[in-house]
């Protein structure tokens, strides 16, 4: 089973993904965590230190290269793993970033989404951008403005794929979020790769 977690920065994707995989493994199940990062955090910190902001298209080009490479590699790993695979981020995230920046979707990413095996569910962690911003400031490892987070949130909601995402309230404490994700996944029946993505409840 393949589950993809999406959401804006500060929604708790990475923490929830790791905790979910650990919970399954603790019960004796087979679970694998795969990260589809695009280097945004490193570029954000680097740009902030230099006091510059990369042009939107240049940043998108660099992020897309890293993201596509990770997604392709991780889908190959998924095909060789028998158990639960949780992907932290996916191509949907890059499409949402493009929407947030006013960039076109392009042809490559939508084509890849159609060509790759579809996840059993894309679970979107919903959180108010203001709360996400507070979380980001508290961890102090990257820099994202409230305006960028709000635009990113809107970018996700404007994706044509968004109505098919399963949305989960990510404003709750991490242990409760993991419990809800665990319960959600336990209710998902595996499906054919040719079938549609799981519709929201």
């Amino acid at each position: 089973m393949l589950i993809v977690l999406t959401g804006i920065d500060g929604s708790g994707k990475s923490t929830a993904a790791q905790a979910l995989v650990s919970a399954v493994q603790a019960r004796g199940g087979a679970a694998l965590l795969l990260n589809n990062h695009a280097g945004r955090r490193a570029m954000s910190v680097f740009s902030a230190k230099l006091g510059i902001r990369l042009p939107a298209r240049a940043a998108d080009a660099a992020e897309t290269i890293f993201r596509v490479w990770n997604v392709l590699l991780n889908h190959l790993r998924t095909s060789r793993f028998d158990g639960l695979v949780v992907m932290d981020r996916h191509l949907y995230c890059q499409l949402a970033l493009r929407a947030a920046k006013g960039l076109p979707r392009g042809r490559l990413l939508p084509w890849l989404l159609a060509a790759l095996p579809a996840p059993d569910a894309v679970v979107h962690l919903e959180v108010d951008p203001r709360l996400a911003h507070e979380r980001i400031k508290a961890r102090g490892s990257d820099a994202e403005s409230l305006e960028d987070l709000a635009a990113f949130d809107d970018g996700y909601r404007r994706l044509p794929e968004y109505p098919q995402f399963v949305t989960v309230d990510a404003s709750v404490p991490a242990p409760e979020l993991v419990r809800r994700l665990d319960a959600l996944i336990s209710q998902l029946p595996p499906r054919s790769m040719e079938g549609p993505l799981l519709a929201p409840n």
Side-chain angles (χ1 to χ4, degrees):
M1 177 178 285
L2 171 60
I3 303 297
V4 168
L5 295 185
T6 66
I8 64 175
D9 299 88
S11 62
K13 296 183 300 297
S14 298
T15 300
Q18 181 60 67
L20 178 61
V21 166
S22 296
V24 173
Q25 292 174 339
R27 295 197 298 268
L32 179 65
L33 171 61
L34 298 174
N35 297 304
N36 292 317
H37 295 290
R40 286 188 65 240
R41 180 177 296 183
M43 285 192 288
S44 174
V45 173
F46 182 72
S47 297
K49 286 183 178 179
L50 294 181
I52 62 173
R53 189 181 182 96
L54 288 176
R57 289 187 179 276
D60 173 73
E63 293 164 6
T64 297
I65 291 171
F66 284 110
R67 184 98 67 189
V68 167
W69 171 257
N70 283 326
V71 167
L72 293 177
L73 181 61
N74 286 334
H75 269 278
L76 177 61
R77 291 172 175 166
T78 298
S79 69
R80 299 175 176 176
F81 185 77
D82 185 18
L84 171 67
V85 176
V86 178
M87 284 194 182
D88 177 5
R89 301 170 176 82
H90 204 275
L91 299 178
Y92 308 101
C93 304
Q94 201 61 40
L95 288 171
L97 283 168
R98 287 182 177 179
K101 298 174 182 177
L103 299 175
R105 282 169 62 87
R107 297 181 180 180
L108 175 62
L109 298 187
W111 179 83
L112 282 174
L113 280 176
L116 290 169
D120 290 276
V122 179
V123 181
H124 186 71
L125 305 188
E126 287 197 331
V127 63
D128 187 302
R130 290 170 294 185
L131 175 57
H133 191 239
E134 290 300 318
R135 290 175 173 177
I136 290 172
K137 289 194 298 183
R139 69 192 184 199
S141 58
D142 52 345
E144 292 287 347
S145 71
L146 178 57
E147 292 75 17
D148 286 344
L149 291 172
F152 196 8
D153 179 64
D154 183 62
Y156 270 117
R157 296 175 188 278
R158 289 191 284 124
L159 292 179
E161 298 87 358
Y162 183 78
Q164 296 176 306
F165 291 178
V166 180
T167 58
V168 175
D169 180 8
S171 65
V172 298
E176 174 61 18
L177 175 58
V178 173
R179 187 195 67 78
R180 293 182 184 184
L181 292 174
D182 198 13
L184 171 66
I185 291 172
S186 68
Q187 297 171 8
L188 294 178
R191 55 152 184 79
S192 164
M193 291 302 182
E194 289 75 29
L197 289 178
L198 182 72
N201 294 328

